[in-house]
Amino acid sequence: MPANLCGTWDIISNVNLEGYMVALGISPQLRKIALKLKLKKVIEQQGDEYIIKTTSTFRNYTVSFRMGQEFEEFTRGLDNRNVKSLVTWEGNKMVCEQIGEKKNRGWAHWIEDDKLHLDLFCEGEVCSQVFKKK
Ligand code: 1AG
């Protein structure tokens, strides 16, 4: 049984969000706003469904899925693209592949030393975020 990611988490570090956003084609004006945000994650599991909410004072983003079942994701309020997403466990990492216009796109969540890690990747750029439990 992989690590339990559920809970409410506050961001404590955020490396190369800028590079990730440039890879996604986000405008300079939105990038400037996004870089200042203190993101929170709320991860819930209801039966076999996971719900991951990313919240901030500016915008929120929610994704929900079942492990191993491909789904249509629209990245509303982020880069506003349609992707086909698939989340699986790779060892203790929850890994999402987001197939679409942008190559090598996805993310991975895992727990290390009681911290929640998130790597966001797109076209060779990696943004590494760490969250502490609230
Ligand atoms: C995420 O997905 C997405 C949230 O974590 C990413 C956080 C920063 C922004 C990323 C892309 C920038 C796009 C537009 C900038 C405008 C607004 C930023 C608002 C961000 C608030 C949500 C992974 C997640 C699984 O689904 O944890």
Side-chain angles (χ1 to χ4, degrees):
M1 175 64 175
N4 184 18
L5 309 180
C6 293
T8 299
W9 304 87
D10 287 328
I11 198 160
I12 53 171
S13 72
N14 197 357
V15 174
N16 197 35
L17 177 59
E18 175 69 6
Y20 174 75
M21 290 192 293
V22 169
L24 285 175
I26 306 301
S27 71
Q29 184 192 334
L30 274 177
R31 298 204 306 268
K32 193 174 165 188
I33 295 168
L35 285 175
K36 292 181 182 162
L37 298 175
K38 292 294 172 215
L39 302 171
K40 282 184 199 297
K41 281 287 170 195
V42 180
I43 303 182
E44 294 167 7
Q45 196 182 354
Q46 294 175 7
D48 60 355
E49 186 179 33
Y50 281 89
I51 303 143
I52 303 184
K53 296 175 189 162
T54 308
T55 67
S56 73
T57 52
F58 177 59
R59 279 180 194 169
N60 301 322
Y61 184 72
T62 300
V63 63
S64 61
F65 52 86
R66 288 179 169 78
M67 280 295 156
Q69 288 188 20
E70 191 178 78
F71 62 101
E72 306 280 343
E73 180 176 8
F74 177 62
T75 59
R76 186 184 305 279
L78 302 176
D79 61 321
N80 296 300
R81 283 191 177 88
N82 286 106
V83 290
K84 280 194 196 311
S85 299
L86 175 67
V87 186
T88 55
W89 289 109
E90 291 184 14
N92 277 347
K93 283 191 181 179
M94 178 190 274
V95 177
C96 179
E97 257 195 295
Q98 294 172 310
I99 306 289
E101 181 187 343
K102 294 291 178 181
K103 300 305 157 205
N104 188 26
R105 178 174 187 178
W107 51 261
H109 269 298
W110 71 97
I111 301 280
E112 208 174 293
D113 299 332
D114 295 326
K115 304 287 197 298
L116 176 73
H117 288 248
L118 171 63
D119 277 358
L120 294 155
F121 43 92
C122 181
E123 304 209 319
E125 293 290 333
V126 182
C127 168
S128 294
Q129 301 182 339
V130 183
F131 299 78
K132 69 168 167 47
K133 200 148 205 172
K134 226 189 159 168

